[in-house]
Amino acid sequence: MRVALFATCLGDTLFPDAVKATALLLSRLGQEVVFPQAQTCCGQMHVNTGYQREALPLVDNHAACFADESIDAVIVPSGSCAGSIRHQHQIVAERFGTPALRAQVEQSRAKTYELAEFLVDVLGVVDVGATFPHRVTYHPTCHSLRMLRVGDKPLQLLRAVREIDLVELPDADQCCGFGGTFALKNADTSTAMLSDKLRNVAATGAEFCSAGDSSCLMHIGGGLSRLQTGIGTLHLAEILASTEHAISPKRGALA
């Protein structure tokens, strides 16, 4: 398949290793990976804060980048942004877009997948050939669970990783408290929710907390660092892309 990679804002600016790992993993599984250079933000933060009309140029640009018929699928290493493309883009296009844009948005959203659901549902693989000899716990993010309903697909993939010690996260389905601007507008509530998440992560004794969204990892990782727990964070893609010969001695991830 010819698949296009949507890096997302956080992936592009703060978590490039997760984006690189996604491209490496997809290539290793035999996919032709392309990266449309004109891609920008998907517009989720605009829509989430009530600026739907202002998100229209971003929705328009995204559709122009990814509706191309030569692209078989659009892969997003983020449940949050994949959810925005699948659900919010259609709302914005129907309210403020032209018929041509609405058609482009439909083409784009229909072939957009969060990474884990693409691997399991489309490629039909669970064992991606990864090796990761570390103790790991997994945080299922709100948008992947409640908007995309990816279920346990990330865990299916992690259970097939060689030498991994995968430990269950208590109250895993509880939000970490990030939620984009929620963390800014409701700082006290966000901090309380994060405290619960950090306590549960620490209780697992894991070396790494993983997730499919860099935004949640940024929030959780910041808290773990401030508490000096010694627990690291890694995007799901970084673990799945790790092999016996590509494990960094420093982070346990890709060199």
Side-chain angles (χ1 to χ4, degrees), residues 19-138:
V19 181
K20 293 176 184 175
T22 303
L24 178 62
L25 174 63
L26 293 170
S27 297
R28 203 173 69 204
L29 293 174
Q31 309 308 300
E32 179 190 356
V33 181
V34 297
F35 188 88
Q37 293 293 325
Q39 63 180 278
T40 61
C41 172
C42 65
Q44 180 188 181
M45 59 183 175
H46 301 71
V47 177
N48 286 352
T49 48
Y51 293 95
Q52 292 187 1
R53 185 185 293 277
E54 287 78 3
L56 183 61
L58 297 171
V59 172
D60 192 356
N61 181 72
H62 186 91
C65 287
F66 294 101
D68 187 335
E69 291 184 354
S70 70
I71 296 172
D72 297 309
V74 181
I75 313 305
V76 190
S78 163
S80 179
C81 296
S84 175
I85 295 162
R86 291 242 290 261
H87 298 282
Q88 295 178 339
H89 280 202
Q90 184 180 30
I91 295 171
V92 172
E94 287 182 352
R95 289 184 177 176
F96 308 109
T98 63
L101 176 60
R102 288 195 285 274
Q104 269 196 324
V105 164
E106 181 55 33
Q107 284 181 307
S108 172
R109 64 184 290 273
K111 58 184 178 184
T112 294
Y113 301 92
E114 182 269 347
L115 176 61
E117 66 178 2
F118 177 73
L119 296 175
V120 176
D121 291 345
V122 181
L123 295 188
V125 296
V126 173
D127 184 350
V128 298
T131 298
F132 195 73
H134 296 280
R135 188 175 177 89
V136 175
T137 193
Y138 184 80

